[in-house]
Amino acid sequence: MLAQNNEKRGGLRQQLSKTLRYLRIYGLGRTWFKVAGRMRTPLVLRSLRPGRVAGRDIAMIGCGQFAFATIGYFIRRRFGNRFAECFDPATPAATSFAKFYGIPQPSATAEAAIHADAVRIVYIASNHASHTPYAVEALAAGKTVYVEKPVAVSLEQMCRLAAAARSTTGKLYAGYNRPFSGAIGQLRPHCQGQQGPLTLSCFISGHVLGPDHWYRRAEEGTRICGNVGHWLDLAVHMLSWNTLPDRWTVMLAWSNENARDDDVSISLTSERGDLVNIVLTARNEPFEGINETINVQWGETIAKIDDFRRMEVWQGSRNRVHRFWPKDVGHGAAILQPFKPGRPWREVELSTLLMLHITAMVKAAQRHSEFSFSAASAQLEAAIISGTSNASDSAIAG
């Protein structure tokens, strides 16, 4: 009993310490939403208060922690309580989301939420393999769609999503948020106009995922889709500031043959000489969540981004330091894309094709391949035109 009490006290101390750290990183409002999203007790939810009621026109598909504490937080802060419908197969998550956001009751199915007359915008933050089917359904209904990353976990899904996006009046936005971060926005003017090659290095300390974590399910696309897609998308976005090279050599190295998407290094070199290196490691749990260090060298510009809380930029003898508080990974601006101009969808398509190529390499234990954006895009368009969605994931591994 004494050991159990000590363990309980230790757990409480750790949670308190983490909350205090989050307060320093994110501020009071965002931290309290994170706490509420985890606990979802009536007392905590009442302490937040759902805010003013706005025109209810949003359906939330997937009511987990990210939907409640991130999407919900930024929607509520900008517009007030705008959710009209919600759905999650986990009843407690759907019920607590509905109660807090003033929805009379959760929808019985995702389809019911999507097709509700009041719904104009659909946010999708469910499990990864379900993103494409829900997005296709919502686009077919003419809705504006915001789909969390990854937008697809297979080339067959990407073909379906791309075909839906091309044949509907609905608009489609993706939850890749790093391009919307304050640091990347500040860095862009220093890099636009560069004609030479880019060197981009991303080192990510990620969450430890146990063997039974849902990311590990075969249909969910590995951590390449679940995590690494963020930094592949960032690379495509940054390269697109100038000219995105077409042909790339891709090399992978992993430390554990039985978990090739953990503790993995991905190196991409372009025909122009660009070098992109991404290292995802998960050897222990980062106390404050995912931690990122990003280094850039492009022409006369050198930059270092420290966890999207601080950035230092050097240009010759000139040196600038930018600080971002609260920590700005770009969630707010990304989530609000349906209400203002977003980034070009073409960038997301291209980064997804590259992500799926690397996913196929990891699944096949393939360490080296060649990739072409134009060839992958042509394969995608051919599948859309044929209407068969029969493009092969293994074919894109080169």
Side-chain angles (χ1 to χ4, degrees):
M1 179 65 73
L2 179 61
Q4 289 178 341
N5 288 338
N6 288 338
E7 183 178 350
K8 185 176 181 179
R9 282 195 294 270
L12 289 172
R13 283 195 297 269
Q14 186 179 53
Q15 290 303 314
L16 178 59
S17 177
K18 182 172 287 192
T19 300
L20 293 173
R21 296 268 192 99
Y22 280 8
L23 282 168
R24 191 167 67 236
I25 296 169
Y26 295 106
L28 178 60
R30 183 85 187 279
T31 297
W32 196 230
F33 254 79
K34 285 178 174 288
V35 171
R38 293 289 182 196
M39 298 178 67
R40 304 215 190 181
T41 62
L43 179 62
V44 171
L45 295 181
R46 280 198 300 271
S47 73
L48 277 171
R49 295 176 298 180
R52 69 187 187 279
V53 176
R56 293 182 179 273
D57 59 354
I58 297 174
M60 186 73 246
I61 308 300
C63 301
Q65 172 70 6
F66 189 83
F68 188 103
T70 303
I71 294 176
Y73 171 77
F74 286 107
I75 293 291
R76 175 184 180 272
R77 190 177 72 165
R78 176 65 177 83
F79 299 109
N81 197 2
R82 196 161 169 168
F83 293 99
E85 303 284 341
C86 69
F87 168 78
D88 194 297
T91 300
T95 301
S96 58
F97 188 98
K99 185 174 183 179
F100 177 72
Y101 287 103
I103 301 169
Q105 63 181 15
S107 299
T109 65
E111 291 72 23
I114 289 168
H115 290 280
D117 291 340
V119 169
R120 191 172 60 86
I121 305 166
V122 177
Y123 277 79
I124 300 169
S126 49
N127 65 298
H128 298 159
S130 68
H131 287 177
T132 292
Y134 289 147
V136 169
E137 177 91 15
L139 287 169
K143 311 292 185 175
T144 293
V145 179
Y146 172 96
V147 58
E148 259 306 318
K149 60 81 187 170
V151 300
V153 297
S154 69
L155 194 58
E156 183 274 334
Q157 281 197 346
M158 190 62 212
C159 290
R160 289 170 55 202
L161 183 62
R166 287 158 172 72
S167 60
T168 180
T169 59
K171 296 181 180 179
L172 181 59
Y173 302 97
Y176 286 114
N177 50 280
R178 269 60 173 185
F180 294 93
S181 66
I184 297 302
Q186 295 276 4
L187 181 61
R188 181 170 184 164
H190 299 296
C191 297
Q192 279 187 309
Q194 299 289 348
Q195 299 302 311
L198 162 71
T199 297
L200 173 66
S201 174
C202 305
F203 184 94
I204 304 101
S205 296
H207 293 296
V208 175
L209 303 182
D212 297 326
H213 193 279
W214 66 269
Y215 271 40
R216 304 294 190 194
R217 298 172 193 161
E219 68 272 17
E220 298 294 349
T222 78
R223 293 192 78 165
I224 304 303
C225 290
N227 295 124
V228 175
H230 265 308
W231 299 282
L232 294 170
D233 181 75
L234 175 60
V236 169
H237 174 71
M238 292 177 64
L239 287 160
S240 298
W241 290 345
N242 299 308
T243 303
L244 177 66
D246 179 46
R247 302 196 61 83
W248 294 78
T249 297
V250 184
M251 299 188 69
L252 308 185
W254 48 79
S255 64
N256 184 349
E257 185 64 34
N258 296 318
R260 294 187 293 270
D261 58 347
D262 267 337
D263 303 305
V264 60
S265 173
I266 302 169
S267 292
L268 303 101
T269 52
S270 76
E271 55 194 345
R272 184 178 64 190
D274 301 272
L275 172 62
V276 175
N277 188 58
I278 300 169
V279 174
L280 171 67
T281 184
R283 299 190 186 278
N284 60 67
E285 183 67 19
F287 190 75
E288 297 169 349
I290 288 177
N291 188 286
E292 307 165 47
T293 302
I294 296 175
N295 287 278
V296 177
Q297 188 170 22
W298 207 350
E300 67 170 359
T301 299
I302 299 173
K304 180 180 180 181
I305 301 172
D306 184 8
D307 204 32
F308 290 95
R309 296 160 65 184
R310 182 183 187 276
M311 178 175 70
E312 193 162 2
V313 180
W314 296 265
Q315 287 186 303
S317 62
R318 299 167 63 191
N319 170 259
R320 293 183 178 88
V321 175
H322 305 265
R323 289 181 172 83
F324 306 94
W325 189 88
K327 176 179 175 178
D328 180 14
V329 191
H331 280 137
I335 287 165
L336 296 178
Q337 286 179 91
F339 306 98
K340 59 184 180 181
R343 59 186 288 217
W345 178 256
R346 179 62 174 163
E347 286 184 11
V348 177
E349 274 195 359
L350 292 174
S351 74
T352 301
L353 290 171
L354 177 58
M355 177 194 74
L356 294 175
H357 174 92
I358 294 172
T359 300
M361 290 178 66
V362 166
K363 288 182 176 180
Q366 184 178 0
R367 294 181 179 270
H368 176 274
S369 74
E370 304 295 325
F371 176 81
S372 162
F373 283 110
S374 63
S377 296
Q379 183 182 9
L380 179 69
E381 294 301 327
I384 293 171
I385 292 171
S386 69
T388 60
S389 297
N390 61 355
S392 165
D393 279 0
S394 60
I396 62 174

